[in-house]
Amino acid sequence: MEHILGFSSVFLIVLLWIIISKFGTHIHKNEYKYYVGMGLLATVGTVFAVLHQLDMVSVDIPIVYQIAFQGHLTLAFFVIVMFGGAFKNKSKPKITIMKVRREMAILGFITLIPHAVLLITTALNANNPTGVIAITILFPLFLTSFPKIRKKMHAYEWRGFHKWAYFAYLAIFAHLLAINILAQDDALRFVRMSIYIAIFGIYTYMKFKNYILVEKPTKKAPTQKKA
Ligand code: HEM
C-alpha cells in the first residue's frame, strides 16, 4: 500500500483530468466557491501541519498524508496547468484545460500551503531549498492570477510576468528529483524519478514542437530592405 501511495500524483492527475472533463464548466462558473472551499480545507490542513510540528497530533495517516500533505495533489494541479500550455491549439485536451487553467493554478497553490508548512523544517534541515524556491516564484503568479488583480495589469505585461511560470516548473522538477535523491531511500524512488522525468520531458518536447511548428513560423519575418 505504502509503495502504491508514493505514486499518488499519477492517480490524482488522472482523477483531476476526469473531473475537469466532466465539471470544467461548473468549476469555471463557480470558481470563487471552489477557492473558498479549498481554502477552508487548506486552513484545516495547515492547522494540523502546525500541530504536527508541535508534536500535538500526527498527520502520518495513509492516503491523507500523501494527498493533503506530501505534495502529490499540488503536483497533479500543476501538471494539468503545464500541459494546458503544451497541447496543440484547438485540440480537445487544450480546450478542456484552458477552460479551467486559472482555476487549476489557484487551487494548486492553495493545496501547497499545508505541504509547505508541514515540511519546511525538514527541507531546510536537509539543505534542500528547491521547494522554497518554487513557492517563492509561484506566490506572485498566484496573486496575479485572480481576475480582479489581473485586470489591473496590461495584457502584455501580465503575459510577460507569467513567463516566470517556466522557472517555477523547473524548480518543481528540481524539487522532485532532489527529494528522491536526498530524502527518500525506498527501492521505488528510481521509478518515481523516471515518471517525473517522463512527465517533464514530454512537456518540454511538446512545447518545443509547438514552438517550432506553430509559434515560430507565425512570427512576423523582419521586412527586407530593398537593394
Ligand atoms: C516551501 C515549499 C516546499 C517545501 C518546504 C517542500 C518540502 C518537501 C519535502 C521535505 C518533501 C519530502 C516529503 C516526504 O518524504 O514525505 C517533499 C515532497 C514532495 N513535494 Fe514538496 N516542498 C515544497 C514545495 C513543493 C511544490 C511547489 C511542489 C509542487 C508540485 C511540491 C511537490 C512535492 C511532491 C510531489 C513530493 C513527493 C515527492 C516524492 O516522494 O516522489 N513541493 N516536499
Side-chain angles (χ1 to χ4, degrees):
M1 184 72 171
E2 189 77 357
H3 295 315
I4 297 171
L5 290 174
F7 296 92
S8 299
S9 309
V10 178
F11 307 120
L12 290 168
I13 292 167
V14 176
L15 185 65
L16 260 186
W17 174 256
I18 296 170
I19 291 174
I20 64 168
S21 304
K22 288 200 180 298
F23 306 108
T25 309
H26 186 271
I27 295 172
H28 183 61
K29 282 192 183 155
N30 298 282
E31 60 176 306
Y32 282 96
K33 287 186 186 159
Y34 282 89
Y35 302 152
V36 171
M38 192 62 92
L40 288 173
L41 287 175
T43 306
V44 173
T46 305
V47 170
F48 273 92
V50 172
L51 294 176
H52 180 100
Q53 293 271 32
L54 298 171
D55 274 337
M56 292 169 73
V57 294
S58 171
V59 297
D60 285 333
I61 308 159
I63 304 182
V64 174
Y65 176 74
Q66 281 80 11
I67 293 180
F69 295 104
Q70 208 185 15
H72 290 289
L73 182 59
T74 309
L75 180 61
F77 275 111
F78 284 125
V79 167
I80 298 278
V81 173
M82 278 165 58
F83 276 84
F87 283 113
K88 250 202 300 203
N89 274 345
K90 294 184 185 154
S91 63
K92 205 166 172 271
K94 175 119 184 166
I95 294 168
T96 305
I97 297 179
M98 291 318 277
K99 202 190 288 175
V100 288
R101 197 176 184 212
R102 170 179 73 234
E103 290 80 355
M104 294 296 104
I106 292 175
L107 292 171
F109 188 88
I110 295 173
T111 64
L112 174 58
I113 298 162
H115 173 68
V117 170
L118 182 77
L119 293 163
I120 184 91
T121 39
T122 312
L124 296 179
N125 287 341
N127 294 321
N128 179 1
T130 49
V132 177
I133 294 170
I135 201 172
T136 307
I137 303 171
L138 287 168
F139 183 60
L141 300 177
F142 160 72
L143 289 182
T144 51
S145 291
F146 286 95
K148 280 185 186 152
I149 301 180
R150 182 177 177 163
K151 276 185 200 141
K152 292 190 176 140
M153 297 170 83
H154 287 292
Y156 68 85
E157 187 193 1
W158 188 89
R159 272 200 298 273
F161 184 58
H162 274 249
K163 291 230 169 5
W164 278 91
Y166 296 119
F167 292 102
Y169 302 157
L170 193 65
I172 291 171
F173 182 56
H175 180 59
L176 299 173
L177 292 191
I179 289 296
N180 280 284
I181 293 167
L182 304 172
Q184 317 283 30
D185 55 6
D186 59 309
L188 288 175
R189 68 188 167 135
F190 295 107
V191 182
R192 280 198 302 278
M193 278 163 71
S194 310
I195 291 175
Y196 299 140
I197 291 169
I199 292 174
F200 283 80
I202 292 169
Y203 167 77
T204 310
Y205 171 75
M206 286 169 71
K207 281 297 283 185
F208 190 66
K209 209 173 131 200
N210 274 350
Y211 178 74
I212 299 289
L213 294 179
V214 183
E215 291 181 28
K216 216 174 170 189
T218 57
K219 276 187 184 160
K220 271 190 182 171
T223 43
Q224 294 210 338
K225 280 183 188 166
K226 282 181 185 165

